[in-house]
Amino acid sequence: MLGLVFLTIFVSLNPSPTSPSSSSCTVTSIEDLAEATKNCKDISIGSLTVPAGKTLDLTSLQAGTTVTFTGVVSFGYKEWTGPLVDVGGTNIKIVGASGSVLDGDGARWWDTKGGNGGKKKPKFFAAHGLKSSTITGITLKNTPVQAFSISGVSDLTVSGITVDNKDGDVDELGHNTDAFDVGSSDNVVITGATVYNQDDCLAVNSGRNIRFADCFCSGGHGVSIGSVGGRSDNEVNGVTVENTSIVDSDNGIRIKTISGATGSVKNVKYSGITLKNIKKNGIIIQQDYQNGKPTGTPTDGVPITDLTISDVKGTVDSSATEIYILCAKGACSNWSWSRVDISGGESSLKCQNVPDGVAC
Ligand SMILES: *[C@@H]1O[C@H](CO)[C@@H](O)[C@H](O)[C@H]1NC(C)=O
Ligand SMILES: *[C@@H]1O[C@H](CO)[C@@H](O)[C@H](O)[C@H]1NC(C)=O
């Protein structure tokens, strides 16, 4: 009993959590964050509200820092481009503890227009320039527009993420709520993600050695490469999508290259894909993409080569197209498809320049 009293006194005399001498710090107010990132390598972020128009800034972390979210993080309302959370550094571990959530309360911005107009909406979670890092167990709820932007990173593993934008389905208010946008990155692994959203589950615009495995995608536009073209980096080389279910979505597998643009898409492999309740296309590969409205005329500036699609099974809605391939002449080659079994919908009559061994 006496021991317990002494222990209590000892603990309460300990320095304040964010004092410079401390290496382990708890942040419960945004004001404490800058000092914590300067002084601490083990940062715990509890429940707090990030003021409107401010970023939860984790870009100045010391190498080797672990940041653990333990509570509910909310964000004030402002029409701006964000991001709401920004993470950077080397050997960084970002962890979402069980029950923690970053809640965008996106309904305050949703107006059916996404990034195409209406209210200016903040992007949510930027992971830019990370090296040799991990992001684990984070839950994003109701993102105003895109969820994770992964750009300029090398050797990043993103596991056990939940993006829950189900509320955005009401009256189709949520739009352009891509779960993972990946660009200009090397060696990114995304595993075990659970996504409910209204746009691409994955969209790789550029990069190398990207793996997306053991994921569940619902409500969106499919697991996508692209759109490719029209940016500063337009090379996609090495994307593997494995063991992933895509349900209640516009498309299953999708590769879209921009009309008139240049670049390349190569070494792409989809395998072990299950489709269910697909509304538009089971597999869609198009070289005529333009935001909002494909042109219908494929162009050859972004060739799609060395594409393997195997063990894809499932169903699409009766009004949906099972497989749609629109390639420019000579711009799709060395494709290898096997055990592709998609049923329930219509066959496309509009396929063009389909490579040998592949059927629409
Ligand atoms: C496939 O993915 C699911 C999650 O969607 C996971 O539970 C399962 O273990 C994975 N299977 C393999 C063989 O990796
Ligand atoms: C065809 O693609 C495969 C990978 O799918 C690759 O290993 C092979 O080198 C490619 N062949 C040519 C001729 O480019």
Side-chain angles (χ1 to χ4, degrees):
M1 184 62 192
L2 198 61
L4 188 63
V5 170
F6 277 119
L7 184 67
T8 307
I9 290 168
F10 174 77
V11 169
S12 62
L13 288 176
N14 251 354
S16 81
T18 55
S19 78
S21 58
S22 163
S23 67
S24 168
C25 308
T26 300
V27 174
T28 51
S29 152
I30 197 81
E31 282 87 50
D32 300 339
L33 189 61
E35 206 184 334
T37 59
K38 212 188 304 161
N39 299 318
C40 313
K41 283 190 156 181
D42 185 359
I43 301 172
S44 168
I45 300 183
S47 294
L48 55 78
T49 299
V50 179
K54 291 272 193 301
T55 298
L56 184 85
D57 187 349
L58 299 171
T59 56
S60 320
L61 299 170
Q62 301 178 65
T65 295
T66 298
V67 177
T68 307
F69 288 96
T70 61
V72 178
V73 175
S74 324
F75 302 86
Y77 178 80
K78 182 181 176 179
E79 293 187 33
W80 70 307
T81 55
L84 299 179
V85 180
D86 198 359
V87 175
T90 300
N91 285 315
I92 305 299
K93 289 191 170 69
I94 306 290
V95 180
S98 172
S100 69
V101 58
L102 306 182
D103 187 353
D105 191 6
R108 293 174 293 173
W109 289 270
W110 292 337
D111 55 8
T112 76
K113 298 190 170 79
N116 299 327
K119 291 178 181 171
K120 197 180 274 181
K121 303 170 185 75
K123 295 190 179 198
F124 207 124
F125 196 115
H128 292 177
L130 279 169
K131 291 186 172 53
S132 305
S133 296
T134 62
I135 302 175
T136 309
I138 296 287
T139 297
L140 297 192
K141 195 166 165 57
N142 294 337
T143 69
V145 63
Q146 292 89 355
F148 285 91
S149 167
I150 296 172
S151 180
V153 312
S154 57
D155 306 318
L156 174 67
T157 299
V158 180
S159 55
I161 301 296
T162 301
V163 175
D164 179 1
N165 270 22
K166 279 191 219 80
D167 295 344
D169 290 340
V170 175
D171 298 331
E172 300 184 0
L173 286 171
H175 196 62
N176 297 138
T177 51
D178 306 32
F180 300 98
D181 288 323
V182 180
S184 300
S185 294
D186 189 4
N187 197 15
V188 176
V189 178
I190 299 170
T191 60
T194 303
V195 172
Y196 297 89
N197 70 343
Q198 296 84 24
D199 206 315
D200 295 312
C201 191
L202 170 74
V204 179
N205 300 318
S206 62
R208 322 175 126 252
N209 308 316
I210 316 294
R211 181 163 176 260
F212 187 83
D214 305 338
C215 295
F216 173 82
C217 301
S218 175
H221 292 176
V223 176
S224 306
I225 312 291
S227 57
V228 178
R231 297 181 178 78
S232 58
D233 184 353
N234 304 299
E235 312 271 320
V236 174
N237 187 351
V239 177
T240 303
V241 179
E242 291 173 315
N243 182 35
T244 286
S245 294
I246 306 162
V247 309
D248 301 329
S249 295
D250 278 5
N251 310 290
I253 292 169
R254 186 183 202 193
I255 301 178
K256 43 185 171 169
T257 68
I258 291 177
S259 170
T262 55
S264 66
V265 174
K266 59 183 159 196
N267 291 319
V268 173
K269 183 177 171 190
Y270 286 85
S271 73
I273 310 295
T274 307
L275 308 178
K276 198 176 155 196
N277 293 339
I278 301 298
K279 298 182 186 69
K280 293 185 179 169
N281 304 279
I283 299 176
I284 173 167
I285 299 176
Q286 57 182 156
Q287 290 181 318
D288 70 331
Y289 188 77
Q290 268 182 1
N291 188 18
K293 204 173 178 353
T295 66
T297 307
T299 63
D300 64 5
V302 189
I304 300 170
T305 59
D306 306 356
L307 170 66
T308 302
I309 297 191
S310 61
D311 297 298
V312 177
K313 61 175 194 290
T315 54
V316 301
D317 292 356
S318 58
S319 60
T321 300
E322 291 170 0
I323 298 174
Y324 175 54
I325 298 168
L326 189 70
C327 287
K329 197 164 187 297
C332 293
S333 61
N334 191 26
W335 289 12
S336 166
W337 288 27
S338 53
R339 298 179 298 281
V340 175
D341 180 8
I342 300 172
S343 59
E346 297 170 350
S347 297
S348 176
L349 302 173
K350 295 189 221 157
C351 293
Q352 287 181 33
N353 299 303
V354 177
D356 290 345
V358 177
C360 251

